[in-house]
Amino acid sequence: MSLKPLEHDRKYGELDQVIRAYLGQPADDDPEKRSAALDAYLRHTWRTRPWAIAIAEHQLREYAGNPPGRLRLRLGEFYPVPDVGLPDSATQAWLEQLADHLKHSVETGEAPPPATPQTHWEWHARFPELGQLLGGWFSQDMPDEFESHDAALQDYLDTTDSGLIAQLTGELHELLALPLNESDYVLAVAELGMEVDPPYAPRVWLTEVAGWLG
């Protein structure tokens, strides 16, 4: 029997957030140094949900201490750790190492300083609704679905809850407040899922959209 959502979240929900932060990133932590992926997780989570770090530490340690057998994984009764580029024999020790880093961060209050997002996971964790807009309405299919960028944006506004539009507005202003140059904005919209070129320079276009929203 596969894991039910409530059971998954209770046992592995925050562990899953940590592991997802590593997708596309090297799992190159060592006992003295955190990876860029773990720094991204800590930077964002200290800022938004600091209490969750202790939960992640507990779930990582519990999983490392009770690794599943192949049968339980095949039956879907256990969380399968996604491939992060490590051999199976090294995964258990790596999870313990992550737990040690999280424990140290909680106990000392030491956390990465505020910074522009450094990983794909961090971009989406910090700007989720902007990622929804850019990835959902400005994918490579946009030219076939809408006459223009303005038409795509209007469709988003017409079909999206006002609370989410307010969240998008805040995220746009937060992004525009970051110390980014134009090439950084090109990277930002690509990381957030935009697959077509904006009508003009990304910063100028994002500023126009923010002004449109209020």
Side-chain angles (χ1 to χ4, degrees):
M1 179 182 294
S2 61
L3 281 171
K4 294 182 179 179
L6 185 60
E7 182 182 9
H8 172 276
D9 289 349
R10 282 175 173 169
K11 292 183 177 180
Y12 315 116
E14 200 58 32
L15 177 155
D16 185 52
Q17 287 296 310
V18 175
I19 301 303
R20 287 180 182 278
Y22 279 86
L23 299 182
Q25 295 291 318
D28 55 358
D29 310 83
D30 63 47
E32 304 302 323
K33 183 177 182 296
R34 297 185 301 256
S35 64
L38 192 58
D39 269 354
Y41 170 81
L42 280 171
R43 181 166 42 245
H44 180 72
T45 309
W46 266 113
R47 178 174 175 266
T48 58
R49 302 178 303 124
W51 47 267
I53 299 170
I55 296 174
E57 186 269 342
H58 174 75
Q59 292 182 354
L60 283 161
R61 212 174 292 283
E62 285 288 307
Y63 192 99
N66 300 279
R70 293 182 179 178
L71 176 61
R72 295 190 71 187
L73 283 174
R74 188 164 65 248
L75 294 174
E77 295 177 351
F78 220 97
Y79 173 79
V81 173
D83 183 9
V84 294
L86 295 175
D88 291 343
S89 59
T91 300
Q92 188 173 355
W94 174 67
L95 293 173
E96 286 279 8
Q97 192 174 97
L98 299 189
D100 289 342
H101 281 305
L102 296 183
K103 180 181 179 182
H104 174 79
S105 183
V106 170
E107 290 183 339
T108 64
E110 189 274 324
T116 299
Q118 299 297 303
T119 68
H120 181 76
W121 176 89
E122 191 176 6
W123 278 108
H124 282 268
R126 187 163 176 180
F127 301 105
E129 190 58 27
L130 182 55
Q132 181 69 18
L133 169 66
L134 297 181
W137 275 262
F138 294 96
S139 70
Q140 61 185 352
D141 296 327
M142 188 218 91
D144 297 326
E145 297 178 5
F146 302 104
E147 294 181 356
S148 66
H149 291 71
D150 287 353
L153 180 59
Q154 188 61 56
D155 185 75
Y156 166 85
L157 296 175
D158 291 341
T159 58
T160 302
D161 179 80
S162 60
L164 292 174
I165 295 172
Q167 179 178 327
L168 171 69
T169 304
E171 290 179 13
L172 278 167
H173 286 289
E174 181 179 351
L175 176 62
L176 291 166
L178 293 176
L180 304 180
N181 58 37
E182 197 56 50
S183 62
D184 294 327
Y185 280 103
V186 172
L187 172 65
V189 297
E191 289 283 9
L192 289 168
M194 192 170 191
E195 296 178 338
V196 295
D197 290 333
Y200 17 83
R203 178 182 174 84
V204 176
W205 180 66
L206 290 170
T207 302
E208 182 179 278
V209 173
W212 191 1
L213 297 178

